[in-house]
Amino acid sequence: MPSPARVRRDRAAVRVLVADDSGTARGVLERAVRELGHECVVAEDGEEAWELFAQRRADVVISDWVMPGIDGDELCRRIRAADPYAYFVLVTKLEDREHLMQGMEAGADDYLTKPVDRDALAARMIVAERITGLYRRLAEQQRELEGLNQELFRQARRDPLLGQVGNRLSMREDLERVERRVARYGHAFAIALCDIDRFKSYNDAAGHIAGDDVLRAIAGSLVANCRREDAVYRYGGEELLVLLAEQHVESAAVAAERMRAAVESLGIPHPSLDPPGVVTISIGVAGGRGTDDGAADATLTSADTALYRAKQAGRNRVEAESPGD
C-alpha cells in the first residue's frame, strides 16, 4: 500500500502555515507537512503567524491552542475574518479537549491532539486539500462569471453592427455622467454630430451590405481620429455622435474638421454621384452649456441645428453652433 506521503504528492499541493511556540512540536509538524508534499512556513507564536498570514496568506493553518501574545482561538478569529476560505486546524493537548468547542466557535474547521499522529495529520490534510480545492474552483468560477458579466455589460452598450462604437444606451449613460460633472464642476464638453452625406442614394446604388461596410469604415475612422478620452456612438441610422471631453466649441470644431477630412481621405467611391466622388460626412458641433440643467440635451439640440446648416450649405463640411443657437 502506498505511504501517506506518496499519496499526497500525487495530489495538488497547498500552502500550510504552522504556528507553535514549541520548537520540537513545530519541527515535527513542519517535517510531516513537507513529507506529505506541501509547502510549509512556520511561526514561533501567534503574532508571527498573523504577520506571515497577512503577508503571504495560506491555504491551511495548523495552530497550537496556547501561545504567547495571540493564542490559537484569537488567531483563528483574525484569519477567519481576513480569509473565510483558509482551512484552520487547531492543535490541543489531550487534557485540553474541553476547549475544542471554544475553538470551533472561533472558526476552526478541525483539530489535532498532541502528540500529533502523522496518519491523523495526513487525514486532515486530505480533507483540507478537498476543501481548498473546492474553494479554488469556486473562486475561479466566480472570476469567470465576473468576466462574463463585464463582457455582457460591454456588449449591451456596443452597437451590434459597428461593434467598436457605443449604442444609444451607452451614449445616454455617458451624457448623463457628463451632465452631472457640468452641473457640479462646470466642466467643458462638446458634441460633434456626424451624418453620412447622401447615404440613402449610396444604399440604393450599392446595396445595404456595402452600406454597412461604409458605416463600419467611417466609425473606425472617427474612433482612430479621436483622443482616448473622447467617445463615439451610433446615434441612429447613418448618424454618429462624438462626445469630446473637456473641449469648448472652438477646439471641438478643429477636431471635427480633422475627422471630416479623415473620412474623405478614405476615398470610398460613391456610385450615385455625378460627377463621380467619394463618401463624405457633414458635422454639426456644439459646446456644453456651463452649469445649466439639461446641458446634454441642450448641446445635442444645438449640434443637430449646426448639422442641418452643414447639410444646407452643401455637405462635406463642419458647422459649429452660433451664439444664437
Side-chain angles (χ1 to χ4, degrees):
M1 178 175 232
S3 68
R6 183 174 298 278
V7 172
R8 297 289 66 75
R9 290 192 184 99
D10 292 339
R11 304 171 67 92
V14 296
R15 181 183 297 122
V16 181
L17 171 61
V18 169
D20 199 309
D21 60 326
S22 167
T24 301
R26 194 168 59 246
V28 169
L29 282 169
E30 181 181 7
R31 285 192 299 273
V33 167
R34 293 188 185 280
E35 287 175 0
L36 290 170
H38 302 295
E39 178 187 349
C40 185
V41 292
V42 297
E44 296 182 0
D45 55 38
E47 289 282 0
E48 184 182 9
W50 173 239
E51 291 175 4
L52 286 171
F53 187 86
Q55 293 168 6
R56 301 181 57 186
R57 287 292 192 264
D59 301 303
V60 181
V61 180
I62 302 175
S63 174
D64 191 18
W65 171 273
V66 180
M67 295 183 293
I70 299 176
D71 58 17
D73 63 336
E74 176 60 22
L75 177 62
C76 184
R77 288 189 186 92
R78 293 190 184 188
I79 287 176
R80 187 60 67 231
D83 183 354
Y85 303 122
Y87 196 85
F88 199 99
V89 180
L90 199 59
V91 182
T92 68
K93 294 180 180 178
L94 187 60
E95 59 268 23
D96 290 333
R97 296 202 39 194
E98 67 271 14
H99 293 143
L100 286 177
M101 284 304 299
Q102 184 178 342
M104 292 299 179
E105 289 173 357
D109 297 290
D110 209 334
Y111 72 95
L112 287 165
T113 56
K114 289 184 176 182
V116 174
D117 179 80
R118 292 194 177 213
D119 288 338
L121 175 61
R124 267 60 171 191
M125 290 304 302
I126 290 173
V127 175
E129 290 169 38
R130 290 173 179 167
I131 297 299
T132 56
L134 175 61
Y135 286 150
R136 285 172 178 169
R137 290 192 294 273
L138 288 174
E140 180 60 31
Q141 290 172 358
Q142 180 66 26
R143 286 192 292 271
E144 291 176 357
L145 182 60
E146 290 173 356
L148 288 172
N149 285 337
Q150 290 174 1
E151 179 61 19
L152 287 173
F153 182 89
R154 188 190 69 81
Q155 289 182 3
R157 285 154 178 78
R158 297 287 92 184
D159 182 82
L161 174 64
L162 306 183
Q164 60 188 316
V165 305
N167 58 14
R168 287 292 291 262
L169 171 62
S170 176
M171 182 196 77
R172 178 49 57 186
E173 289 175 343
D174 290 349
L175 284 174
E176 287 174 356
R177 279 193 289 271
V178 165
E179 189 170 70
R180 287 194 294 271
R181 289 199 299 270
V182 167
R184 186 167 185 177
Y185 304 110
H187 286 189
F189 76 98
I191 288 174
L193 191 57
C194 314
D195 184 80
I196 302 176
D197 297 326
R198 298 184 175 88
F199 190 63
K200 183 180 183 303
S201 63
Y202 183 96
N203 277 334
D204 291 343
H208 287 279
I209 293 177
D212 290 346
D213 290 338
V214 167
L215 266 171
R216 280 188 284 264
I218 292 176
S221 178
L222 294 180
V223 170
N225 285 277
C226 285
R227 302 170 305 163
R228 182 174 298 179
E229 56 267 36
D230 299 333
V232 182
Y233 313 88
R234 188 176 185 186
Y235 186 62
E238 69 272 22
E239 289 187 323
L240 296 159
L241 183 146
V242 183
L243 178 58
L244 301 117
E246 301 296 339
Q247 287 214 45
H248 295 284
V249 64
E250 295 82 7
S251 59
V254 173
E257 174 57 29
R258 183 176 65 249
M259 290 182 244
R260 183 209 62 77
V263 169
E264 186 175 22
S265 69
L266 292 175
I268 302 171
H270 197 307
S272 69
L273 295 184
D274 186 18
V278 298
V279 174
T280 59
I281 60 172
S282 299
I283 305 177
V285 179
R289 299 287 187 176
T291 58
D292 294 345
D293 291 335
D297 287 339
T299 306
L300 184 54
T301 298
S302 293
D304 190 53
T305 300
L307 174 61
Y308 178 78
R309 287 204 304 271
K311 290 287 192 181
Q312 292 297 106
R315 300 182 176 87
N316 190 25
R317 60 188 295 124
V318 174
E319 289 284 340
E321 64 175 340
S322 64
D325 286 345

